[in-house]
Every structure is written in C-alpha cells, then in structure tokens.
Amino acid sequence: MNILVTGGAGFIGSNFIIYMLGKYKDVSITNLDALTYAGNLNNLESIKNNPNYSFVKGDICDAELVDRIFSENNIQQIVHFAAESHVDRSIVEPDIFVKSNILGTQVLLDIAKKHWKIEPDDKYSKDYKADVKFVHVSTDEVYGSLGPEGLFTEEMNLSPNSPYSASKASSDLLVYAYYKTFGLPVNITRCSNNYGPYQFPEKLIPLMINNALKGKSLPVYGDGMQVRDWLYVEDHCSAIDTVRLKGVDGEVYNIGGNNEKANIEIVKLIINQLGKSEDLITYVKDRPGHDRRYAIDNTKITTTLGWSPAHSFDEGMARTINWYLDNMDWVNEIVSGDYQKYYNEMYG
Ligand code: NAD
Ligand code: DAU
C-alpha cells in the first residue's frame, strides 16, 4: 500500500507516520510537507532512514508536484493533514488559511481523481478500485460552539466561527462534493483537541508546559472556562488508520475520547504536575469569536468501526509532560527559530 501523507512534518502527521511505520511493514509512505513554521523534520528523526519512508518538501497547492508524486510512487491512498492549524494565526492572517486549507485540498482531490481514473459512475462499476481512499483529516471546530449541554454528532450542520474553522469546513464540503459528483472514495474525520509529543508550543498544553518550566506567565484567555475535549495524539492516529481501512466511502467520522476539561483545569493540572505556583496564571484578553465548548459524540466510530481510545487523560497527560521534560532541546530550538536555519541549509 502506497500512502501519501500530507503535512507529515507537523504535530499529528509526524505522530501518524511513526505510528504507521511501527505497525506495518508493507506500507510505504511519502510525506509531502511545505515545512512552514509548523513543520519540523526533527519530529521524524527516528524513522528518517526507514526504507518505507520518503520525504518531499513542497506545497500541496503545487499541482505539478503532486501529480509527479502520484506518478512516481503509485499512490493508492492519501491521508491529508497539511493545513494551517492555529486559530489565533487565522485571525491575523486568514489568506494563507484559504490557500492551504481550501485550494490545497482541491488540488489533491483533482490529482487523486485523475490518477485513480475515477469517473462519475465508477462506484457502480465492477472495475471500481476498492483499495484507493482519500482520508481528509478535519476538525470538530467545523460544528461551531456548543452550549453547556449536548455533543457534536456527524449529522449536525456546519457552523464554523473562525477563519481557520471556516477554511476547514470549506475543505470538508469540497471533499464531500468530489464523492457525490465523481464517486471519489473519501472519508472525512473530525477530531477534538489533540495533545502529546511534538505539538508546536503555540498550542495550549505545550505552551503552558514551556512557560511554566521557564517561570513565564501563563496566558489564560477570558475567564478560562472554555471547554475542550482532549484526545492523546496516538489515539487520533489509530482512529485515522481504522477509518482508512474500514471507513464506508462518503462517510464522516467524529473522533474523540470523552475528556471534556475547562482550560483553567488543564493549566492548573500542568502547574501542579510541575510543582509550580498558580501565581504564574495571567488572565488576558479573550480570543475574538472564541468558541465556548467542544464535545464529541464518538458513537459512530466506536460502534460501526470498532475503534476506541487506548489512553486515559491522566496517563496521556503524564506521558506528555514527561516527553516535554525530556525534550526541552526540541522546544528550545523551535522557540529560538534555529530549526528553520537548519532546513534552509538542507532544503534551500
Ligand atoms: P500542524 O500545524 O502541527 O502541522 C501542519 C503541517 O502541515 C506542518 O508540517 C506544515 O508544514 C504543513 N503544511 C501547512 N501548509 C502546507 C502546504 N500548503 N503544503 C504542504 N504542507 C503544508 O497541525 P496539526 O496540529 O498536526 O494538525 C494536522 C491536521 O489535523 C490539520 O488539518 C488540522 O486541521 C487537523 N486537526 C488538528 C487537531 C489538533 O488538535 N491539533 C485536531 C483535529 C484536527
Ligand atoms: O478542536 C480541534 C482543534 O483544536 C484543531 O482543529 C486546531 O487545529 C487546534 O489548534 C485546536 O484548536 P483550539 O483553538 O481549541 O486549540 P488551542 O491550543 O489554540 O487553544 C485551546 C484552548 O485554550 C482555547 O479555548 C484557547 C485557550 N488558550 C489557548 C492558548 C494558546 C488560552 O487560554 N491561552 C493560550 O495561550
């Protein structure tokens, strides 16, 4: 099985590649990543010499390049992570979110359709290639914000509130349109907030760990009572692998582990685990358009595909905090921007 992973040098993509190469010997992975500020080849140090792995530096918007990758590697499946992923950045710089998240996805869909020779009636033909699949990695943020009660289900209307989530919702609609119009075999996954190794330290958990370790203030947006539903990244990887293998074409699968926490709880847990003082907490201006609560109903993926998370929140957080304590060089290189110099020297 030849798989194109896009955005494989980012947080979830790199965890996914490590997970897949550890699990399968007969899977070959090509990683296409533009190495934006969020892409870091250090994440893939442990597998960079694996014969079933290759890296291409490039943009998913570059149709010629994507076309060539398909031809040269006989790509049979795509697991599409590449995206601008940070809500705060989307408020300052929305145009890049539209380019990468929407236009980039459309390029991948077109090239997959071309190479897999998908025609509108193909899914009814006996020659239909059952092994090809486009897995679009989306987010629960496309559903918008919940009140104190209720959960996100796959049937809910999309109601995104940030330029980031609007760009992801747009890409979801394009992916679904290629299924309905052309019969492209797609799945869309919508996961809740991930945490774990290799998460860029602009996101809540690694940012708080890094700042607490350095005795810097911990910026809590608004009242800190916004709720997120946390999943250990390896569980997200196993869920995507399950969807890749067993997902019914055209279906959306929510992914989550039933771990709702208010932001302030997370911040206090980190302070506690690191033996720091709550005096570090600083309440700052709220994020504009800040979604109040996310919570996933995972019934569909657990009951129809048999997936369930393997890590509890307490265990996942302990692993994560230990990983950051053991890998402060990784964090410090990012914070100092050194890793980008290294890329520029290696890849120009
Ligand atoms: P990330 O920002 O850590 O990584 C994104 C990767 O994509 C980086 O390596 C970057 O270099 C690459 N990239 C960006 N634009 C590109 C382009 N135009 N061409 C090629 N590569 C490009 O993101 P992440 O947190 O790992 O998220 C990965 C995916 O999962 C995203 O699509 C995101 O929407 C989705 N998601 C994330 C979470 C989460 O909690 N982090 C939860 C649910 C879904
Ligand atoms: O729900 C899935 C989404 O989770 C993904 O689609 C996104 O790619 C990912 O970035 C994440 O989005 P959030 O906006 O929920 O994550 P973030 O880590 O930026 O923030 C989590 C919560 O913590 C949110 O309510 C904002 C708050 N926050 C964040 C930061 C960085 C703070 O209070 N202070 C901070 O400094």
Side-chain angles (χ1 to χ4, degrees):
M1 177 57 67
N2 300 320
I3 305 177
L4 173 60
V5 172
T6 69
F11 163 48
I12 307 172
S14 58
N15 276 282
F16 181 74
I17 292 173
I18 293 166
Y19 174 86
M20 291 292 287
L21 293 176
K23 184 168 175 188
Y24 300 104
K25 298 289 163 253
D26 57 351
V27 157
S28 172
I29 292 181
T30 305
N31 173 15
L32 171 62
D33 196 298
L35 299 181
T36 68
Y37 79 96
N40 186 347
L41 287 181
N42 289 341
N43 302 4
L44 295 157
E45 198 56 34
S46 63
I47 55 87
K48 70 175 185 193
N49 296 322
N50 187 309
N52 291 333
Y53 170 74
S54 62
F55 173 69
V56 179
K57 179 178 188 284
D59 195 320
I60 54 169
C61 299
D62 182 345
E64 234 174 80
L65 173 65
V66 177
D67 195 24
R68 200 165 64 238
I69 291 172
F70 262 76
S71 299
E72 288 174 358
N73 300 281
N74 182 29
I75 296 298
Q76 295 157 295
Q77 295 187 340
I78 303 186
V79 183
H80 174 34
F81 295 96
E84 289 295 330
S85 71
H86 193 43
V87 174
D88 292 332
R89 284 178 189 257
S90 82
I91 296 165
V92 179
E93 218 183 350
D95 54 335
I96 180 72
F97 286 71
V98 171
K99 283 189 198 121
S100 290
N101 300 5
I102 307 176
L103 301 180
T105 300
Q106 190 263 326
V107 166
L108 296 172
L109 289 164
D110 258 351
I111 305 289
K113 171 173 154 294
K114 173 183 159 191
H115 281 264
W116 295 343
K117 298 188 172 44
I118 305 288
E119 300 300 337
D121 287 336
D122 239 21
K123 63 180 163 170
Y124 306 110
S125 117
K126 65 177 169 35
D127 298 327
Y128 181 63
K129 295 164 96 182
D131 56 341
V132 298
K133 178 77 88 181
F134 190 114
V135 181
H136 179 59
V137 181
S138 190
T139 167
D140 62 355
E141 297 201 13
V142 298
Y143 296 119
S145 185
L146 289 166
E149 302 294 327
L151 300 171
F152 291 138
T153 66
E154 289 84 353
E155 289 74 34
M156 281 173 81
N157 288 337
L158 303 190
S159 185
N161 292 315
S162 71
Y164 162 69
S165 53
S167 69
K168 291 297 288 188
S170 306
S171 63
D172 287 18
L173 295 179
L174 273 173
V175 172
Y176 191 70
Y178 273 66
Y179 166 70
K180 284 301 270 189
T181 307
F182 306 112
L184 192 77
V186 306
N187 285 119
I188 297 168
T189 61
R190 295 188 181 137
C191 190
S192 58
N193 284 61
N194 285 213
Y195 66 100
Y198 302 118
Q199 186 166 31
F200 197 87
E202 67 186 349
K203 304 283 168 72
L204 180 75
I205 289 177
L207 181 132
M208 295 299 167
I209 295 173
N210 183 39
N211 282 16
L213 285 172
K214 292 175 179 157
K216 288 162 70 175
S217 72
L218 309 179
V220 173
Y221 298 168
D223 62 2
M225 291 306 291
Q226 303 82 5
V227 171
R228 297 292 182 265
D229 186 354
W230 294 93
L231 186 71
Y232 189 63
V233 63
E234 199 177 271
D235 286 327
H236 189 187
C237 296
S238 70
I240 291 169
D241 187 33
T242 304
V243 171
R244 178 185 77 81
L245 294 170
K246 299 199 224 162
V248 175
D249 290 349
E251 292 293 313
V252 174
Y253 295 95
N254 284 351
I255 303 171
N258 308 318
N259 276 307
E260 285 184 58
K261 305 275 176 216
N263 294 338
I264 192 67
E265 271 184 82
I266 301 264
V267 174
K268 287 186 177 169
L269 183 147
I270 291 168
I271 290 173
N272 211 314
Q273 299 268 316
L274 294 176
K276 302 291 176 180
S277 159
E278 288 191 10
D279 292 347
L280 290 174
I281 295 174
T282 312
Y283 289 91
V284 299
K285 197 157 71 77
D286 208 352
R287 174 185 277 175
H290 201 170
D291 288 335
R292 194 68 181 167
R293 176 171 166 258
Y294 302 149
I296 284 277
D297 180 344
N298 68 9
T299 308
K300 183 172 175 181
I301 189 168
T302 54
T303 58
T304 67
L305 303 187
W307 171 84
S308 58
H311 302 279
S312 70
F313 182 72
D314 288 347
E315 184 225 329
M317 275 304 283
R319 276 175 183 247
T320 303
I321 290 173
N322 284 334
W323 187 87
Y324 279 93
L325 284 170
D326 291 344
N327 289 276
M328 278 313 284
D329 288 352
W330 180 91
V331 175
N332 290 334
E333 268 193 49
I334 286 174
V335 174
S336 70
D338 275 357
Y339 76 104
Q340 279 172 328
K341 270 191 264 158
Y342 161 77
Y343 294 147
N344 289 339
E345 276 164 31
M346 285 193 60
Y347 300 101

